[in-house]
Every structure is written in structure tokens, then in C-alpha cells.
Amino acid sequence: MTDDFTLDPRLVADTVPVGDLALCSVLLMDDARFPWLILVPRRAGASELTDLSAEDARDLMDEIRIATGVMLALAKPDKVNVAALGNVVPQLHVHVIGRFLSDPAWPSPVWGVGTRQLYPHHARAQMIERIGALFAAA
């Protein structure tokens, strides 16, 4: 991995680390309204998918598939949204969000809807443990 990789401060502030895959760090968005994972390729300076090597891009797609499977098993959502925007946080990161017909943002994107609701500490710890187990089994 790249020695000078550091996680963007906004991601540090808004998420909780879950663990690492071969390429990406896996984060849980600390917003209990939506089951929401973020994959961050550990490549310094990457802001676009095209900044990755062909091998890293393939690995990222594989890890997105794994994370989507984890999300389906974790939350049984009606839909999984996968997005790499980077408008607020320029560091390359991919959102994997479980969506429900009944969620507060449906059918719109989750960004800018309502106020974030932090997980209670015990619920966050249980969620991280469950997500970690699902990734280990994938």
C-alpha cells in the first residue's frame, strides 16, 4: 500500500472504521438512519476512479461487489445504491448504501436529507462486529 496514504479528515469525523480489504479501508457512516458503508482505496492522491491502475480498478470493483453482498445480508434493503461522487470529500471513496422504500430520503439521494442520527455506542459496536463477520465470510 501507499506509505503516505491518509484518510480525509471529513471521513474520519463522519465514520467509524470497520476494517481493511486488500485495497480499501471499510468505514461505517455514523448515521443510524441508513445502513451505509464507505470503501476508500488506500492510494495517496486518488480522487477519481481513473486515478487507479487497471489492477486497482479491478480490485475496487471486486470489493464493491463484496460490500454490496455484505449490505444485502446485513440490512436486506429494497435497493443498494453505489456511488463515487467526491464533491465534498475529494479523496476517492465509494458509498454502498442500503435503501428502503420507507427510508426518510426515498426515492431521492440520502445526501442533504434531514439530520444525521449517530448510532448509540452499543448499537454501533454491534453493527461493526456484524459487518466484520459478514466481510470475513464473504
Side-chain angles (χ1 to χ4, degrees):
M1 293 301 129
T2 306
D3 290 337
D4 56 353
F5 172 82
T6 56
L7 194 59
D8 184 279
R10 177 81 182 252
L11 291 174
V12 171
D14 292 347
T15 67
V16 180
V18 173
D20 288 333
L21 301 173
L23 175 66
C24 294
S25 292
V26 179
L27 309 171
L28 172 66
M29 178 62 87
D30 197 2
D31 187 344
R33 298 174 304 152
F34 308 101
W36 187 341
L37 300 173
I38 298 177
L39 302 178
V40 185
R42 292 184 305 280
R43 296 294 184 256
S47 62
E48 304 294 339
L49 292 168
T50 52
D51 292 336
L52 297 177
S53 68
E55 181 181 352
D56 282 349
R58 283 188 300 274
D59 290 346
L60 177 58
M61 189 66 226
D62 288 344
E63 292 181 3
I64 290 169
R65 278 185 211 150
I66 292 167
T68 299
V70 166
M71 182 58 66
L72 289 167
L74 175 72
K76 310 236 182 315
D78 297 311
K79 176 79 174 88
V80 177
N81 290 169
V82 176
L85 299 165
N87 296 346
V88 175
V89 176
Q91 181 174 52
L92 178 59
H93 62 289
V94 178
H95 300 267
V96 179
I97 308 166
R99 299 298 308 276
F100 297 89
L101 298 173
S102 61
D103 78 38
W106 186 268
S108 299
V110 296
W111 293 277
V113 173
T115 303
R116 183 170 79 146
Q117 296 175 8
L118 301 180
Y119 282 98
H121 181 71
H122 69 282
R124 187 176 69 193
Q126 289 175 337
M127 186 75 128
I128 291 167
E129 184 177 333
R130 183 145 183 250
I131 293 166
L134 288 167
F135 271 105

Short mmCIF file of all heavy atoms in Angstrom, two decimals, residues 1-7 19-26 39-46 52 56 63 91-92:
data_model
loop_
_atom_site.label_atom_id
_atom_site.label_comp_id
_atom_site.label_asym_id
_atom_site.label_seq_id
_atom_site.Cartn_x
_atom_site.Cartn_y
_atom_site.Cartn_z
N MET A 1 0.84 -1.18 0.00
CA MET A 1 0.00 0.00 0.00
C MET A 1 0.88 1.24 0.00
O MET A 1 2.05 1.19 0.34
CB MET A 1 -0.91 0.03 1.22
CG MET A 1 -1.98 -1.07 1.26
SD MET A 1 -3.10 -1.05 -0.12
CE MET A 1 -3.00 -2.73 -0.63
N THR A 2 0.26 2.35 -0.34
CA THR A 2 1.00 3.60 -0.40
C THR A 2 1.31 4.08 1.01
O THR A 2 0.42 4.22 1.84
CB THR A 2 0.18 4.64 -1.17
OG1 THR A 2 -0.18 4.09 -2.43
CG2 THR A 2 0.94 5.91 -1.38
N ASP A 3 2.60 4.36 1.26
CA ASP A 3 3.03 4.75 2.60
C ASP A 3 2.45 6.08 3.05
O ASP A 3 2.20 6.28 4.24
CB ASP A 3 4.55 4.82 2.68
CG ASP A 3 5.19 3.44 2.60
OD1 ASP A 3 4.51 2.44 2.92
OD2 ASP A 3 6.37 3.37 2.22
N ASP A 4 2.20 7.00 2.13
CA ASP A 4 1.75 8.34 2.52
C ASP A 4 0.23 8.50 2.44
O ASP A 4 -0.28 9.61 2.45
CB ASP A 4 2.47 9.42 1.72
CG ASP A 4 2.34 9.24 0.22
OD1 ASP A 4 1.80 8.20 -0.22
OD2 ASP A 4 2.77 10.13 -0.52
N PHE A 5 -0.51 7.39 2.42
CA PHE A 5 -1.95 7.45 2.41
C PHE A 5 -2.46 7.89 3.77
O PHE A 5 -2.04 7.37 4.80
CB PHE A 5 -2.57 6.09 2.06
CG PHE A 5 -4.06 6.06 2.24
CD1 PHE A 5 -4.89 6.55 1.25
CD2 PHE A 5 -4.64 5.58 3.40
CE1 PHE A 5 -6.27 6.55 1.42
CE2 PHE A 5 -6.01 5.57 3.58
CZ PHE A 5 -6.82 6.06 2.58
N THR A 6 -3.36 8.86 3.78
CA THR A 6 -4.07 9.25 5.00
C THR A 6 -5.53 9.46 4.64
O THR A 6 -5.86 9.92 3.54
CB THR A 6 -3.51 10.54 5.64
OG1 THR A 6 -3.55 11.59 4.67
CG2 THR A 6 -2.08 10.35 6.13
N LEU A 7 -6.38 9.15 5.57
CA LEU A 7 -7.82 9.28 5.37
C LEU A 7 -8.21 10.75 5.51
O LEU A 7 -7.75 11.44 6.42
CB LEU A 7 -8.55 8.43 6.41
CG LEU A 7 -10.02 8.16 6.21
CD1 LEU A 7 -10.28 7.45 4.88
CD2 LEU A 7 -10.54 7.30 7.35
N GLY A 19 -12.68 -2.10 9.07
CA GLY A 19 -11.53 -2.96 8.80
C GLY A 19 -10.99 -2.68 7.42
O GLY A 19 -11.41 -1.73 6.75
N ASP A 20 -10.06 -3.51 7.00
CA ASP A 20 -9.42 -3.33 5.69
C ASP A 20 -9.61 -4.54 4.81
O ASP A 20 -9.50 -5.68 5.29
CB ASP A 20 -7.92 -3.08 5.85
CG ASP A 20 -7.59 -1.70 6.40
OD1 ASP A 20 -8.41 -0.77 6.21
OD2 ASP A 20 -6.53 -1.55 7.02
N LEU A 21 -9.87 -4.28 3.55
CA LEU A 21 -9.82 -5.30 2.50
C LEU A 21 -8.45 -5.16 1.83
O LEU A 21 -7.62 -4.37 2.28
CB LEU A 21 -10.96 -5.08 1.50
CG LEU A 21 -12.38 -5.11 2.11
CD1 LEU A 21 -13.42 -4.72 1.07
CD2 LEU A 21 -12.67 -6.49 2.67
N ALA A 22 -8.21 -5.90 0.77
CA ALA A 22 -6.90 -5.85 0.12
C ALA A 22 -6.56 -4.44 -0.36
O ALA A 22 -5.43 -3.98 -0.20
CB ALA A 22 -6.86 -6.83 -1.04
N LEU A 23 -7.53 -3.75 -0.94
CA LEU A 23 -7.30 -2.40 -1.46
C LEU A 23 -7.89 -1.31 -0.58
O LEU A 23 -7.27 -0.28 -0.36
CB LEU A 23 -7.90 -2.27 -2.87
CG LEU A 23 -7.85 -0.88 -3.51
CD1 LEU A 23 -6.40 -0.47 -3.78
CD2 LEU A 23 -8.68 -0.85 -4.79
N CYS A 24 -9.08 -1.53 -0.09
CA CYS A 24 -9.85 -0.47 0.55
C CYS A 24 -9.94 -0.60 2.06
O CYS A 24 -10.03 -1.71 2.59
CB CYS A 24 -11.29 -0.46 0.01
SG CYS A 24 -11.43 -0.03 -1.73
N SER A 25 -9.99 0.55 2.70
CA SER A 25 -10.44 0.60 4.08
C SER A 25 -11.96 0.64 4.04
O SER A 25 -12.55 1.30 3.18
CB SER A 25 -9.91 1.85 4.78
OG SER A 25 -8.52 1.77 4.93
N VAL A 26 -12.60 -0.08 4.96
CA VAL A 26 -14.05 -0.11 5.03
C VAL A 26 -14.47 0.71 6.24
O VAL A 26 -13.97 0.50 7.35
CB VAL A 26 -14.58 -1.55 5.17
CG1 VAL A 26 -16.10 -1.56 5.28
CG2 VAL A 26 -14.10 -2.42 4.02
N LEU A 39 -16.12 2.61 1.08
CA LEU A 39 -14.86 1.97 0.72
C LEU A 39 -13.88 3.06 0.27
O LEU A 39 -14.23 3.88 -0.58
CB LEU A 39 -15.06 0.98 -0.43
CG LEU A 39 -16.07 -0.14 -0.22
CD1 LEU A 39 -16.18 -0.99 -1.49
CD2 LEU A 39 -15.67 -1.00 0.96
N VAL A 40 -12.69 3.06 0.84
CA VAL A 40 -11.68 4.05 0.49
C VAL A 40 -10.42 3.33 0.02
O VAL A 40 -9.73 2.71 0.83
CB VAL A 40 -11.34 4.98 1.68
CG1 VAL A 40 -10.37 6.07 1.23
CG2 VAL A 40 -12.59 5.57 2.30
N PRO A 41 -10.13 3.38 -1.29
CA PRO A 41 -8.88 2.77 -1.75
C PRO A 41 -7.69 3.47 -1.08
O PRO A 41 -7.62 4.70 -1.04
CB PRO A 41 -8.88 3.03 -3.26
CG PRO A 41 -10.32 3.26 -3.61
CD PRO A 41 -10.91 3.92 -2.39
N ARG A 42 -6.79 2.68 -0.53
CA ARG A 42 -5.63 3.23 0.17
C ARG A 42 -4.55 3.59 -0.86
O ARG A 42 -3.49 2.97 -0.91
CB ARG A 42 -5.13 2.25 1.22
CG ARG A 42 -6.10 2.08 2.39
CD ARG A 42 -5.58 1.17 3.48
NE ARG A 42 -5.18 -0.14 3.01
CZ ARG A 42 -6.00 -1.15 2.77
NH1 ARG A 42 -7.31 -1.00 2.94
NH2 ARG A 42 -5.53 -2.30 2.35
N ARG A 43 -4.83 4.61 -1.64
CA ARG A 43 -3.92 5.12 -2.65
C ARG A 43 -3.84 6.64 -2.49
O ARG A 43 -4.84 7.35 -2.70
CB ARG A 43 -4.40 4.78 -4.07
CG ARG A 43 -4.43 3.29 -4.36
CD ARG A 43 -3.01 2.72 -4.35
NE ARG A 43 -2.98 1.31 -4.73
CZ ARG A 43 -2.82 0.32 -3.85
NH1 ARG A 43 -2.70 0.55 -2.56
NH2 ARG A 43 -2.77 -0.93 -4.29
N ALA A 44 -2.68 7.12 -2.08
CA ALA A 44 -2.49 8.55 -1.86
C ALA A 44 -2.76 9.32 -3.15
O ALA A 44 -2.35 8.91 -4.23
CB ALA A 44 -1.07 8.83 -1.38
N GLY A 45 -3.49 10.42 -3.01
CA GLY A 45 -3.73 11.31 -4.13
C GLY A 45 -4.83 10.90 -5.07
O GLY A 45 -5.16 11.64 -6.00
N ALA A 46 -5.45 9.74 -4.88
CA ALA A 46 -6.52 9.30 -5.78
C ALA A 46 -7.80 10.07 -5.48
O ALA A 46 -8.28 10.08 -4.36
CB ALA A 46 -6.76 7.80 -5.65
N LEU A 52 -6.78 5.27 -10.48
CA LEU A 52 -6.33 3.93 -10.09
C LEU A 52 -5.69 3.22 -11.28
O LEU A 52 -6.10 3.43 -12.43
CB LEU A 52 -7.51 3.10 -9.59
CG LEU A 52 -8.23 3.60 -8.34
CD1 LEU A 52 -9.42 2.71 -8.03
CD2 LEU A 52 -7.29 3.69 -7.15
N ASP A 56 -5.83 -2.00 -9.74
CA ASP A 56 -6.55 -1.45 -8.60
C ASP A 56 -8.03 -1.23 -8.93
O ASP A 56 -8.90 -1.45 -8.09
CB ASP A 56 -5.93 -0.14 -8.13
CG ASP A 56 -4.67 -0.33 -7.30
OD1 ASP A 56 -4.37 -1.49 -6.91
OD2 ASP A 56 -3.98 0.67 -7.04
N GLU A 63 -14.22 -5.45 -4.68
CA GLU A 63 -14.54 -5.09 -3.30
C GLU A 63 -15.90 -4.41 -3.20
O GLU A 63 -16.61 -4.58 -2.20
CB GLU A 63 -13.41 -4.25 -2.71
CG GLU A 63 -12.15 -5.10 -2.54
CD GLU A 63 -10.96 -4.38 -1.93
OE1 GLU A 63 -11.07 -3.18 -1.56
OE2 GLU A 63 -9.89 -5.02 -1.81
N GLN A 91 -11.15 12.96 -1.80
CA GLN A 91 -10.46 11.68 -1.76
C GLN A 91 -11.38 10.60 -2.34
O GLN A 91 -12.57 10.54 -2.00
CB GLN A 91 -10.10 11.33 -0.32
CG GLN A 91 -9.36 10.02 -0.17
CD GLN A 91 -8.91 9.81 1.27
OE1 GLN A 91 -9.70 9.91 2.20
NE2 GLN A 91 -7.63 9.55 1.44
N LEU A 92 -10.85 9.76 -3.22
CA LEU A 92 -11.65 8.71 -3.83
C LEU A 92 -12.25 7.82 -2.75
O LEU A 92 -11.53 7.27 -1.90
CB LEU A 92 -10.80 7.89 -4.79
CG LEU A 92 -11.51 6.71 -5.47
CD1 LEU A 92 -12.71 7.18 -6.28
CD2 LEU A 92 -10.52 5.96 -6.35
#
